[in-house]
Amino acid sequence: MHAIQIPLLMIFPVLAVIGGLKDLTSYTIPNWISLALIAAFVPAALVSGAPLSQIGLCLAVGLGALVLGMGLFAAGWIGGGDGKLLAACALWMGWPGALMFLLYTALAGGALTLAILTLRSGYLAPAVAGAPAWVRRLGATGGDLPYGVAIAIGALAAFPRGTLALAVLG
């Protein structure tokens, strides 16, 4: 059974990393990443051995995270792709794994903010000037933060405590 469970579980970290890297380099997270995470959740949940009540909690957590993401987007604090990635990742975490996911995401978001502020401070201007276009965009004053990076880091850190990972790996 592990021959099916493990590859299905690995879809999550792979797509989370792709989402974070895509946001870092282009300030966009394509919808297909969040949709693929949602679509892959169904077979992963069914073969994980998690009880249906836990899978139902995963769905509720994902819906709650979607509402949270919509609120953060409406407030202008994150982008729409970030909100969708947050919800899709929370779906895989379930309860109580979502608490660790949100904590790790917040910590990663703080570290990301400090790193970007340092990049934009001017001390690194000579290094940024010769960097690839996406690094120059990150170093531009007044630019947005690619919060998908923090979401991906939070997702990877919390993944071992998520409902599906615990059901498969114990």
Side-chain angles (χ1 to χ4, degrees):
M1 189 66 142
H2 273 48
I4 296 171
Q5 293 171 327
I6 300 298
L8 284 172
L9 277 182
M10 294 313 299
I11 291 171
F12 177 81
V14 168
L15 289 174
V17 167
I18 291 170
L21 289 174
K22 191 75 173 137
D23 199 26
L24 180 67
T25 58
S26 69
Y27 282 101
T28 58
I29 302 170
N31 287 334
W32 71 262
I33 294 172
S34 297
L35 291 172
L37 280 167
I38 294 165
F41 172 80
V42 175
L46 293 176
V47 302
S48 71
L52 286 179
S53 60
Q54 286 289 71
I55 294 171
L57 275 174
C58 288
L59 294 170
V61 166
L63 183 61
L66 181 61
V67 171
L68 173 66
M70 289 168 58
L72 294 172
F73 173 72
W77 294 345
I78 64 172
D82 299 326
K84 290 179 269 188
L85 183 63
L86 180 79
C89 288
L91 171 70
W92 282 73
M93 293 301 135
W95 186 262
L99 294 175
M100 294 307 295
F101 167 56
L102 292 176
L103 175 64
Y104 290 144
T105 298
L107 291 172
L112 175 69
T113 300
L114 291 175
I116 298 285
L117 287 174
T118 301
L119 186 64
R120 293 177 181 169
S121 69
Y123 293 113
L124 301 175
V128 172
W134 66 270
V135 176
R136 290 194 308 271
R137 191 174 331 119
L138 285 174
T141 341
D144 292 328
L145 290 175
Y147 207 74
V149 173
I151 294 168
I153 292 169
L156 293 175
F159 182 58
R161 297 179 184 207
T163 298
L164 298 187
L166 285 174
V168 171
L169 305 173

